[in-house]
Structures are given as structure tokens and as C-alpha cells.
Amino acid sequence: MWKGDQAMKKMTIKDVAEALGLSPGTVSKVVNNSGRVGDKTRKRVKEYVKKHGYVASANARILKSRLSFTIGVIFSDISHVGLEHPFFASILQSFKTAVEERGYEIVFIVSRVGENELTYYQWCRNKKVDGVLIVMGNINNPNIQEVVQSEIPCVSTDIVMDNLQSVISDDKEGVRLALDHAENLGCEHITHITGPTSSRGFAERAAAFSREMEERGLPLPDEAVEIAEGFGFTSGYNATLKHLKKVARPPELILAGSDELAFGIVRALESKRLRVPEDIMVMGYDDIKFAKHFTPSLSTIRQNKEKIGRLAAERLLSAIEERRPKRKEITKVPVELVKRQSTGRG
Amino acid sequence: MWKGDQAMKKMTIKDVAEALGLSPGTVSKVVNNSGRVGDKTRKRVKEYVKKHGYVASANARILKSRLSFTIGVIFSDISHVGLEHPFFASILQSFKTAVEERGYEIVFIVSRVGENELTYYQWCRNKKVDGVLIVMGNINNPNIQEVVQSEIPCVSTDIVMDNLQSVISDDKEGVRLALDHAENLGCEHITHITGPTSSRGFAERAAAFSREMEERGLPLPDEAVEIAEGFGFTSGYNATLKHLKKVARPPELILAGSDELAFGIVRALESKRLRVPEDIMVMGYDDIKFAKHFTPSLSTIRQNKEKIGRLAAERLLSAIEERRPKRKEITKVPVELVKRQSTGRG
DNA sequence: TTGTACGCGTTATCAA
DNA sequence: TTGATAACGCGTACAA
């Protein structure tokens, strides 16, 4: 089906109208199921359109109408975390699948168009996106604040803010499950190593950890919460070494803020001749695909990434289609304890 | 900066023109650095535009002009492999970064718009994308054939076809490096377990493997190449068990078609009380992030994902901007041997 | 520089 | 009711 250099001339609504001896307006109505059109005409148009594969130009349509069937995605502004981050990639994937099923598509919001630097909000206006998903963001980013406070429907699977719908894991419950598990294993001296608290998840888990430990009457010295410098393996590794230097005696269990941190934590412990789980236990958070293939396989709190993405899509599309006023609303998605070798014999 | 429900009225080129007592055409020229405009006028316009943050509507612009500064991405059609696949996600990430630096953005090509089923080509025409990246595709997919044979510039980081530019790893070299390594380790009985050969990478590695083994005079019974059913851990696991049943005695080394397969291979061997690397060695392919954290850490052939993505971006953008006729062209990116524990003592 | 036709649909208005 | 007409959305490009 080689078309050579010259493209097949594109069929426009006028071509269709002309071929059928109708006006463009009438064809438009049929295509969009709007307005009144006679039955036989409607049928003629539908058949022609189907047969010849006419589809309205996306750009012309968006230019005129309210909706673009496009969702802008804010993926990352902080710390070179990209599509390669398994947790966020999973969420994005399931969100993408869900909106595509409803005829929407996703585009990544960037802060420039051609040569112009735009704010996220300007970008959205410029592209007329129908809604915005914040997969990962920082509440102090003025760009994000602007979008969230604007008239554009938004949903986040990460941050929580005024006027913003969020679909997130129940982190309090996650920490509770983790500590229940720890207590069942007979652990009392527990350390929490988490990532930068500029990230909501990390901050929330750290807060929940402290509160829970107190309520349970477990020891909570200052060193019991260690903040790693980044998101990845190396950050977890380094934070662990730092922590071990601070304490007289290693804790019985370390709860990590994420699986990736946990991987680094485990290796750091091993480098100090501490065996996991025999000498010290480790728990992760997220249950990314690799957690079960790690050695020792990682006990963790599973976040339901698929559900988070799907629910976020539902919430956002309803907000778009019902045009209701924006308000803060948090949907908590249950988490689940996954027991593996790193806290026992697997 | 709460804007409430009613959006700030959008500023159009007419508003700008009116405010400055000029015509829209003049403003357009300034904004696009095209055509002749007087110096002082140009300056006045630039200042006004900067101050008030006017940006041309993307849709109106695309509607009229040749370029959309948009690249369509074909990510996956086969086997539920999504953004979660670390190898392809890495390539896409670096491609995305590279094109964004040049003012382009990416959109995922899907096969429907609203209610209409479109072919990829129709979709591209409909959206006026400037070019297409095929991150992963099947050469027998008519949708892909149509795009590739069309007038739209394309580049692939996966498949190889007529009229298509490809930026891929030098798999022959990769297999050669792997077998050199194997021979240096004294291995002669080598098995290759790879994924579905509908995927170019797997097919090419399998072919290279057979050829190289023959040239080296190493044994190449039929069972020496085992095709797994899928891309992931489980496929590797099952293929290994199947292979072990076929052979009288396990090979000395297994070369996997990908790291993910290799993970499954290793665990399958262990389940049969074969230690890696003591009893049998295993090599992966790709060097995804996790390969070095696996136990045993995985020796592998590193594909330069970052470079593949970046080069693909360069090739595609040149093709777009120079509008040269399409032809087949393969850019091979060097690979690298990474020695770790799974083939020695690490 | 400006005027204006044009790109391609959508939608409000109007005639039949 | 049915369908046609025309203005509109927002820029671009070319003639004047």
C-alpha cells in the first residue's frame, strides 16, 4: 500500500457533503449524533462515512468545540525520575488504558512549546486539554498550584491539595499492617527509612510511622526515622550505613518507604555482615514487580497500582463530563500485606 | 491565584493585534520569526507578548501549517507489554527527553479516536503528527506496514523494514561478546533461551547464536535454542524446565534473550537444585536496572538504551526537517559485555 | 504592513 | 422537521 511521496489527499467534511449532495453542517450533525437529521439522510451519511473512512480532523474539531478528549499528564518535576520508575509507570499505564477505553488520550505536559516557556496552566489552555493527571508532583511547585487552582479538572495519584481530587493508597493502614506484622514477629526496635519528605507518600508514611509507634508504646528515638536523599537503591544503601553509625545496636526490623529503597537497605546491611532476615528484617513498600524476585524476596505493603490508575481515570472523566465544581476529595485505595522472605522464612 | 469557575478569557492573536493597533498577520510574523517586519514594531510586539504571556493556540496553528511538532509513538501491540517494561520504558524516556529539547512532544498512537476505529496511518493523518516512533512492533501488523510505507517519517528502535530507519543494538556483536565470554570461561555446551521470535530482537539473537556456534565449531543440537512463550519471568522459568526435560545433561551456560527471561531461568535452575554459577552459568541481555541487584547479580549484554533513544530522536527529527525521501537505514549501536556473578564470582 | 482567503469543522440561524 | 447558510474558532500565508 505504498503511497509514495504524495500523501493521499485527505478527505474533509466538505468532500463528504459534496459527494452526497448535502451541506457540511448536516454531515457534522450526523457524525456527532447531534441535532435533527432525517432518517434516510442520516443513514446515507453513516454508510458513506464508514465506507470511505472519513474522520474529522482532530485539530479543527478541538479548535471549535469544548472538548479535546485529551488528558494532560504531569509526570515528574523532581529528581530525575522518569518513565523508568516502576511504581509510577504502573499507575500511568493503568490510567492510560482506562482513559483510552473511553476515547481519551494522554499527552505529557511539558513546560515549553516550541520556543516558549509556558506554565503548566498555560500549556493546558494552549492545548485545550480536558483534564490533568498529576502522577507525581510537588505541592510547592507554583506551576502545579496554578493548574490545581484553575478551572481545569484535575486528579492526582500522588499529592493532596485544596480543590484537588486524589486517589492514593491508604498509607496509615499500610504502616499499621507493617507494624502489626512486625509485632507479630516479636520486633520492638523498628526503624523507618524513607525518601525525601517533599514527596507526599514518604511524608505520610513517616508521620504514620511515628504516630503508630507511639500509640503502640514502642521505642521511638530520634534516629528511628531516617530520611534518604533520593528515591533509589543508592539512597537506601547510603541512608542505611548512616543510620547504622548513629545507633548503638541495629534495630530488629527496618521498614522502608519504598521497595527500591528497601533493596538498597538490604544490600547495605549485608555489606555490614547483617543477614536478612536472620539478624534483621526488612520490609518494603509498593510491591513493584521485582520485589518478589529479589533475594531475599521482599516482604512489602502492596499498593494497588492498577486500581489507583483506573480509579483516577474514572474520577477525572466524571469530573470532566459532569463539570462539577472542584473540591478536595480523597479516595483511599486499600493496601495489602505481602509476606515474603525478608521478614521470615518466606 | 484561584481563577474560580470561569476561565480567564483566552488571549488570541487578535487581542494582541488590537491592543497594539496592528493586524493579526503582523503579529503572527513576529511570533514566528518569519517574513519582514519593521524593527520597532517587532520589538513592541515581542514585549507585549512576553509581558502578557500570549501563546498561539496549538490547534489553530496545526490546522493551518505543515508541522504539529508532535511525534506519534507506537508502543505496543503484542503481548500485554506496557510502560512497565523496563527496557522499552528506558528507550522511550530518552527519546522523549531528546525530542522535547527540540520543542517536540510525544503522543501515543491508539487505534481509535472517540468512537471511530482508525488505522495507525489514519490516526497520524488525523492528528497531523510530524513523525512516528515505533518502540515496539510487529512487522506483520498491517497497521504498522501502512505507516511505514506512507509518506510520514518513521523511525524504529525495534523492527527493521523496507523504507524504515532503525536504530538498534548490534545484536550480532552482542551474541559474539557473550559467546567469547562463555568460551573464555571454558563453556562449550551452551543453550540459548529466548522470547517469541515475532520480536525482532529475539529472532536476531537466536539467528546470531546459531551462526556463531557453528562458526566456532561448538555443538548445536536442535534443543540448543529454546523459544519461550512470552517476555517475562514466568516464560523464562517455564522454558527452562521444558529445556531441562529435553536434554540428557544440562548445558554449561545458558544465554538468555533478555534479562527478564534470565531471572526466570535462574530461578528455574535453582528449583532443580542447580546452582548458578557453580553448576551452570547464566547470561542475560539488556542490562536493565535490576540486573545488578538480582542474586546472583546477572552477567549480561548491555544495550545502550539511552543512546538508542537519543539517536532515534535525532534521526527522526532530521528526517522531518529535511524532508528527505524515506529509505531503509540501520544504525547499529554498540553493546557491551557486563560481567557479574552469574558467570563467575563477580 | 495590511487585507484576506484559507484550513476544517461546529453550531446558531434561517428558509423550505 | 429537515437541511442549508454562514459565522466562528485561531492562526498562517500570500496578494495587494
Side-chain angles (χ1 to χ4, degrees):
Chain A
M1 214 192 279
W2 167 243
K3 312 249 168 29
D5 261 326
Q6 69 286 350
M8 216 170 36
K9 200 193 92 269
K10 184 170 187 182
M11 175 166 21
T12 75
I13 201 171
K14 273 183 195 156
D15 299 327
V16 177
E18 211 162 295
L20 296 172
L22 294 169
S23 77
T26 308
V27 177
S28 174
K29 285 188 201 167
V30 174
V31 171
N32 298 297
N33 287 315
S34 67
R36 318 264 110 239
V37 181
D39 263 358
K40 61 202 90 176
T41 309
R42 155 162 274 118
K43 201 168 161 208
R44 271 206 318 145
V45 175
K46 288 226 164 175
E47 268 163 17
Y48 187 94
V49 162
K50 171 149 284 178
K51 183 165 170 209
H52 294 77
Y54 162 76
V55 183
S57 149
N59 297 108
R61 170 173 275 169
I62 295 170
L63 185 57
K64 180 66 182 178
S65 59
R66 195 173 59 81
L67 270 67
S68 66
F69 292 95
T70 289
I71 307 292
V73 173
I74 297 175
F75 195 75
S76 149
D77 20 57
I78 35 180
S79 63
H80 268 306
V81 185
L83 291 172
E84 289 139 307
H85 195 297
F87 176 70
F88 296 104
S90 288
I91 287 183
L92 182 58
Q93 174 70 47
S94 76
F95 179 88
K96 175 174 179 288
T97 305
V99 297
E100 283 173 358
E101 273 165 16
R102 307 237 330 234
Y104 287 76
E105 61 191 63
I106 65 170
V107 282
F108 292 99
I109 300 183
V110 293
S111 39
R112 42 182 295 219
V113 167
E115 319 204 318
N116 308 80
E117 289 284 339
L118 301 193
T119 68
Y120 290 166
Y121 176 68
Q122 288 175 318
W123 192 95
C124 291
R125 293 298 302 268
N126 181 260
K127 286 280 200 284
K128 266 202 187 161
V129 299
D130 296 335
V132 169
L133 166 71
I134 303 168
V135 184
M136 191 175 180
N138 185 318
I139 49 173
N140 297 314
N141 182 335
N143 256 323
I144 289 191
Q145 293 170 348
E146 191 190 16
V147 180
V148 170
Q149 304 311 326
S150 79
E151 80 287 356
I152 302 172
C154 293
V155 64
S156 169
T157 53
D158 182 25
I159 57 176
V160 170
M161 284 174 76
D162 246 24
N163 283 305
L164 177 62
Q165 292 210 43
S166 305
V167 179
I168 55 181
S169 287
D170 188 338
D171 281 325
K172 285 197 189 68
E173 176 69 9
V175 171
R176 203 176 302 135
L177 289 174
L179 293 182
D180 283 349
H181 183 51
E183 286 202 289
N184 287 339
L185 294 164
C187 299
E188 298 209 328
H189 294 273
I190 302 170
T191 288
H192 182 47
I193 297 184
T194 195
T197 47
S198 57
S199 165
R200 190 221 100 246
F202 289 138
E204 196 149 315
R205 286 161 218 162
F209 175 80
S210 299
R211 192 161 352 93
E212 275 285 327
M213 288 293 280
E214 268 189 7
E215 283 178 16
R216 288 162 195 249
L218 296 175
L220 185 66
D222 282 356
E223 317 85 62
V225 176
E226 179 78 43
I227 309 292
E229 283 176 347
F231 287 67
F233 180 94
T234 311
S235 308
Y237 193 97
N238 293 337
T240 304
L241 297 183
K242 200 165 139 200
H243 178 72
L244 291 176
K245 272 186 199 141
K246 283 191 208 163
V247 294
R249 183 163 90 83
E252 296 163 287
L253 183 146
I254 296 180
L255 171 63
S258 76
D259 287 347
E260 298 215 311
L261 288 170
F263 298 152
I265 291 169
V266 170
R267 292 293 177 256
L269 293 171
E270 290 171 348
S271 79
K272 293 297 180 188
R273 307 256 173 272
L274 290 164
R275 292 164 304 163
V276 179
E278 292 82 354
D279 301 324
I280 177 169
M281 302 194 184
V282 174
M283 291 190 71
Y285 206 104
D286 290 347
D287 195 31
I288 60 176
K289 192 164 62 169
F290 206 79
K292 69 163 166 297
H293 301 138
F294 189 71
T295 305
S297 61
L298 194 66
S299 294
T300 190
I301 300 298
R302 174 180 299 154
Q303 297 201 57
N304 195 333
K305 303 161 276 295
E306 197 280 328
K307 186 166 186 181
I308 292 177
R310 197 157 30 78
L311 275 183
E314 274 173 33
R315 297 274 181 284
L316 184 58
L317 297 189
S318 320
I320 290 169
E321 285 160 14
E322 294 165 21
R323 293 150 137 283
R324 56 175 128 75
K326 295 172 75 165
R327 59 195 184 77
K328 181 166 176 173
E329 193 178 323
I330 300 176
T331 306
K332 297 252 180 173
V333 176
V335 294
E336 196 181 333
L337 170 67
V338 181
K339 297 184 204 174
R340 297 202 185 99
Q341 293 169 341
S342 69
T343 58
R345 246 131 301 287
Chain B
M1 214 195 280
W2 165 243
K3 311 248 170 32
D5 260 329
Q6 67 288 353
M8 215 169 36
K9 203 193 90 265
K10 185 170 184 181
M11 176 165 22
T12 76
I13 201 170
K14 273 184 193 154
D15 300 326
V16 177
E18 210 162 296
L20 296 173
L22 295 169
S23 76
T26 309
V27 177
S28 173
K29 282 185 194 170
V30 174
V31 172
N32 298 296
N33 287 316
S34 66
R36 319 270 109 234
V37 182
D39 263 358
K40 64 202 87 175
T41 309
R42 154 163 275 118
K43 203 172 159 203
R44 266 201 326 139
V45 175
K46 288 225 162 177
E47 269 162 17
Y48 187 94
V49 163
K50 171 148 284 175
K51 185 165 168 215
H52 296 74
Y54 162 75
V55 184
S57 148
N59 297 108
R61 171 174 276 167
I62 296 170
L63 184 56
K64 181 65 182 178
S65 59
R66 197 175 58 80
L67 271 66
S68 66
F69 291 96
T70 289
I71 308 292
V73 173
I74 297 175
F75 195 76
S76 149
D77 19 58
I78 34 181
S79 62
H80 270 306
V81 186
L83 290 172
E84 290 140 307
H85 195 297
F87 176 70
F88 296 104
S90 288
I91 287 183
L92 181 58
Q93 175 69 49
S94 77
F95 179 88
K96 174 174 181 289
T97 305
V99 297
E100 283 174 0
E101 273 165 17
R102 307 232 338 230
Y104 287 75
E105 62 193 61
I106 66 170
V107 281
F108 293 99
I109 300 181
V110 293
S111 39
R112 42 181 294 216
V113 167
E115 319 203 317
N116 309 79
E117 288 284 338
L118 300 194
T119 69
Y120 290 166
Y121 176 68
Q122 288 175 319
W123 191 95
C124 292
R125 291 298 301 274
N126 182 259
K127 287 278 199 289
K128 265 200 186 165
V129 298
D130 296 335
V132 169
L133 165 70
I134 303 168
V135 183
M136 191 173 181
N138 185 317
I139 50 173
N140 296 315
N141 180 334
N143 256 322
I144 289 191
Q145 293 171 348
E146 190 190 17
V147 181
V148 169
Q149 303 311 327
S150 79
E151 79 287 354
I152 302 172
C154 294
V155 65
S156 168
T157 53
D158 182 25
I159 57 178
V160 170
M161 286 174 76
D162 246 24
N163 283 305
L164 178 62
Q165 292 210 42
S166 305
V167 179
I168 54 180
S169 286
D170 188 338
D171 282 325
K172 285 197 187 67
E173 176 69 8
V175 171
R176 204 176 301 134
L177 288 174
L179 292 182
D180 282 350
H181 182 52
E183 287 203 287
N184 288 338
L185 292 165
C187 300
E188 298 208 328
H189 295 274
I190 302 171
T191 288
H192 181 47
I193 297 185
T194 195
T197 47
S198 56
S199 165
R200 190 219 100 248
F202 290 137
E204 198 151 314
R205 286 161 217 162
F209 175 81
S210 299
R211 193 162 349 93
E212 275 285 326
M213 289 293 280
E214 268 188 7
E215 281 177 16
R216 288 162 194 248
L218 295 175
L220 184 66
D222 281 355
E223 319 84 64
V225 175
E226 179 78 44
I227 309 291
E229 282 176 349
F231 287 69
F233 179 94
T234 310
S235 309
Y237 193 97
N238 293 337
T240 305
L241 297 185
K242 197 165 141 199
H243 178 71
L244 290 177
K245 272 186 201 140
K246 286 191 207 164
V247 295
R249 190 163 81 87
E252 296 163 286
L253 184 146
I254 297 179
L255 171 62
S258 76
D259 288 347
E260 298 216 310
L261 288 170
F263 298 152
I265 292 169
V266 170
R267 293 292 179 257
L269 293 171
E270 290 171 348
S271 79
K272 293 295 178 189
R273 306 257 173 273
L274 290 163
R275 291 164 305 164
V276 179
E278 292 81 354
D279 301 325
I280 178 168
M281 302 194 184
V282 174
M283 291 190 71
Y285 205 104
D286 290 346
D287 195 30
I288 60 177
K289 192 164 62 169
F290 204 82
K292 68 163 166 297
H293 300 138
F294 190 71
T295 304
S297 61
L298 194 67
S299 295
T300 190
I301 300 298
R302 173 180 299 153
Q303 297 202 56
N304 194 333
K305 301 160 278 296
E306 196 281 330
K307 186 166 186 181
I308 291 175
R310 197 158 29 78
L311 275 183
E314 275 174 33
R315 296 274 180 285
L316 183 58
L317 297 189
S318 324
I320 290 169
E321 283 158 16
E322 294 165 19
R323 293 152 136 282
R324 55 174 130 75
K326 295 172 75 164
R327 57 194 185 75
K328 182 168 177 170
E329 193 179 320
I330 299 176
T331 306
K332 296 253 180 173
V333 176
V335 293
E336 196 182 333
L337 171 66
V338 181
K339 298 183 203 173
R340 297 206 185 96
Q341 293 168 343
S342 69
T343 60
R345 247 130 301 283

